[in-house]
Amino acid sequence: MRLLTRWNMEKIADILIAQLNETLRNVNYEVLLSNWKALPEAERSSVYAVDGSRSVTRLSGTIVYFLSAIAIGSGRSYKLFYANAMQYNHGVSDQVVRMQMETMENMIGYLAEKMLRGEKKLILMDGTLTGSLIRPPVYPEDIKSIAVIRSLIGINDFDNLIYEYVKMLEEHYREVRRKLKDEGTSDAPLLSDVIIDKFRRKYLETRIIGHIRNKVRVKVPSSIIKREGVPLSLLERFLEEGKSLEDALREIKEERVEVVIDKDMVNDAFHILLTYIEYLYSLDKLLEVANLAYIAKSFYTKKLANMLGIPIVDTALLDIVLRRFLKKEKEGYWSFEEPVRIPHEIPEYLINHFKNVKKFAERGVNIGYVRFERGDVIYMVQSTKKIEDILPLILHHRVGGYIRPLQLAHDGAKISYKEARMALDALINYLRNKDPELKVFTKYGRSPLE
C-alpha cells in the first residue's frame, strides 16, 4: 500500500511554507527575542516524577482495563496498580477510565511528596495542569446528568454525600500511604468503585419508588421545580389527569410529583459523579505540594500566537523566531508575566468543596516555554509557582535536553501490550473456570485479526 506520493509531499510542503511565510511577515520578533531569557543556575532539589498508563480491551459488551501510576526519583520508587471491568457505555466508560488513571497520578504525586526528603522537594507531572483543571466531565450532557442527580437526591443530601465521601477518602489516603511505605505498591488505590453500591443505596435508591422495564419512577424534589420551573410536559400531564393548577402546586410542594427516567442514565451519572469527586479530591491534594511543575511534550497551545495575531502554535512560533533571527536554536525560556486563566466548566456546587482546585481555576496557572538544551525541542512548563522560581529546581535534574526522572517515570509506568495481553488471558481463564457461563462476557471480537 502506497501511502505517500510526490504530489502529496509537495502539497504538504506548500502548506507549511505558506504558514512559515505568513508568520515571518506578521511576527514582531523584537518582542519575542527580548523576552527569551537565559536558563537560570540549577538549584539542588530532591524530586519525584510521576507518570501513568492505561490499557483498555473491549470484549462482548464489557471493557477490561488496567491502570498504573508510578513515582520515580530521589527515594525508592512507588507504584499504584488497578484492574477493573465495567459494562461498556460509549462516552461514559472512556471518561471513567481516563479520570481514574489521572486520579492515581495525582494521588501518588501527593503521597510521594510526603515521603520525600530534602530541603527543597519537587514533584514533576507529565502533561499540563490546565488540562487537569478542565478534565472531563466537561461535556454538557455530563454536567446536566450530574445536575439531575443533585436535583434527584436533593441539595442537602448532595452536599452530605460529598462530605461523607471526602471523609472516607481522607482515611483511604492514609491507608494507601501506609501500604506504600511498607511495600512500595498498592493494588487498591481507587475508592469510587468500592463504595458506589453503598452510596447508591443510601442516597439514590431512597428516591426511586418503582421500576418499569429499564426505567425508574422517581419523586421530583420541589427544589428543582422552584429553580427551573414546571416543565411543559408535566403541565400537560396534569391537564390530561383533570387536575387544577392548585392541585398541581400542592403536589409539587408536597413532593408527590412522579416522573419516569432512564435507569442506565441515572446509574451512569451516579458513577461519573463519584469518580469525578474522587478525581477532584486527588487534584486538590496534589495542589497542596509547594513545588509542583507539569512538563508537556506534545501540546498545541496558541496563547502567545493569539496575542500576536498569528495562526500558528506557540512552540513553532518561538522556533521560527529563534532560528531565523538568532541563527541558532538557543536554549532558554519564555514565560507569561501573569498566570493564565483557562475556562472551566466545573459546577460551583462541586468546586466549592475543593479550595485548591477553585483557587487555581480562578487565579490561573503559570506557563512558560523552555528549551533545556541548544538544538533540542521546546517544552511547555506549567506550575503553581512562577516559572523563574520553579525552573532552577527542575534544571537540577536535566540530562541532555530533557528531565531524566520524567523519562524514567514514563518507561516505568508504561503497560506493554504483552503485559496487558498476559493479564487479560489470565483473567479470562479464571472467569471461565469459575463459571463457564461467564464466557459470554469474555469473547474478543478482534481475535481473528491478531
Side-chain angles (χ1 to χ4, degrees), residues 97 170 257:
V97 171
E170 289 172 353
V257 178

Side-chain angles (χ1 to χ4, degrees), residues 43-142:
E43 292 183 22
R44 186 175 184 84
S45 65
S46 56
V47 68
Y48 269 118
V50 173
D51 205 351
S53 181
R54 64 185 183 269
S55 174
V56 182
T57 304
R58 291 179 175 85
L59 301 176
S60 299
T62 304
I63 68 167
V64 174
Y65 60 99
F66 305 105
L67 307 176
S68 72
I70 194 169
I72 291 181
S74 302
R76 67 183 292 196
S77 298
Y78 299 106
K79 196 162 189 178
L80 301 176
F81 301 94
Y82 190 65
N84 196 24
M86 73 173 79
Q87 180 181 339
Y88 180 72
N89 185 325
H90 178 70
V92 173
S93 303
D94 293 336
Q95 288 192 63
V96 168
V97 171
R98 186 178 182 183
M99 278 197 288
Q100 287 185 339
M101 185 190 78
E102 296 197 20
T103 297
M104 288 168 53
E105 291 176 352
N106 296 338
M107 178 191 221
I108 203 168
Y110 166 72
L111 294 177
E113 195 267 350
K114 295 294 182 185
M115 296 181 277
L116 192 58
R117 296 178 180 178
E119 181 180 347
K120 295 182 178 180
K121 301 187 288 185
L122 173 67
I123 295 295
L124 294 174
M125 307 293 292
D126 180 65
T128 65
L129 176 53
T130 50
S132 294
L133 290 171
I134 59 173
R135 212 32 100 221
V138 297
Y139 307 116
E141 59 267 27
D142 298 321

Side-chain angles (χ1 to χ4, degrees), residues 12 43 76 109 112 127 134 142 144 152 165 174 201 282 332 341 369 397 402 424 448:
I12 293 171
E43 292 183 22
R76 67 183 292 196
I134 59 173
D142 298 321
K144 183 178 179 181
L152 181 60
Y165 193 13
R174 287 190 286 269
R201 287 192 298 270
S282 72
R341 291 189 62 188
Y369 300 106
H397 307 281
Y402 196 52
L424 183 63

